[in-house]
Structures are given as structure tokens and as C-alpha cells.
């Protein structure tokens, strides 16, 4: 699990939940600045927001993330 470090990013409740869960299930967490090029190499990308929780990213530039599932009605 990669996440940007705290500089310039608000530490939110949703991110804390994700990081705590990762620790509980022994998923390694790496906090480092992420570039666009690193993100488009990922299988899945998610964003966290205290207001909306956790959400998948469906597209980044020209890169589509096929594991995105549209759950909107």
C-alpha cells in the first residue's frame, strides 16, 4: 500500500482507517511521494476523503483502471 507522506496532505479519518486496517492485516505501508508515472503503473488506485470515505479512481490521464466497478445507480 503506497500513500503520500503527510506533507501537503491533510491527515483524514478515512486515511487513518485504511492505514490501521493495513497494519491489522499485515499489509506493508510505504509513505512516499508518488509520481504520475508510478500511479499509472498501479493495478488499482484509490483516494480517501473524510467526507466521502474511500473511492476508486477509474481513469488517470489516458490510463483506465479495469478493476474499477461503477456502483452508481
Amino acid at each position: 500500500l503506497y500513500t503520500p507522506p503527510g506533507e501537503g496532505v491533510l491527515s483524514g479519518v478515512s486515511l487513518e482507517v485504511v492505514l490501521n486496517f493495513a497494519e491489522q492485516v499485515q499489509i506493508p505501508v510505504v509513505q512516499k511521494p508518488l509520481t504520475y508515472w508510478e500511479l499509472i503503473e498501479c493495478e488499482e488506485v484509490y483516494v480517501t476523503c473524510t467526507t466521502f470515505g474511500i473511492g476508486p479512481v477509474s481513469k488517470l490521464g489516458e490510463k483506465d483502471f479495469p478493476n474499477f466497478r461503477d456502483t452508481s445507480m
Side-chain angles (χ1 to χ4, degrees):
L1 175 65
Y2 290 90
T3 185
E7 305 104 38
V9 177
L10 292 175
S11 180
V13 174
S14 298
L15 178 59
E16 287 300 316
V17 169
V18 170
L19 296 178
N20 288 336
F21 179 74
E23 182 181 343
Q24 289 175 10
V25 296
Q26 300 178 345
I27 295 173
V29 174
V30 177
Q31 289 188 313
K32 66 182 241 42
L34 299 167
T35 68
Y36 168 81
W37 302 109
E38 290 172 312
L39 289 172
I40 64 170
E41 292 298 318
C42 294
E43 291 179 26
E44 296 178 286
V45 176
Y46 290 84
V47 293
T48 61
C49 173
T50 299
T51 306
F52 300 107
I54 304 165
V57 173
S58 61
K59 187 176 184 101
L60 186 60
E62 296 298 314
K63 164 78 179 211
D64 290 318
F65 292 96
N67 291 330
F68 172 74
R69 291 172 186 85
D70 185 359
T71 58
S72 62
M73 300 255 174

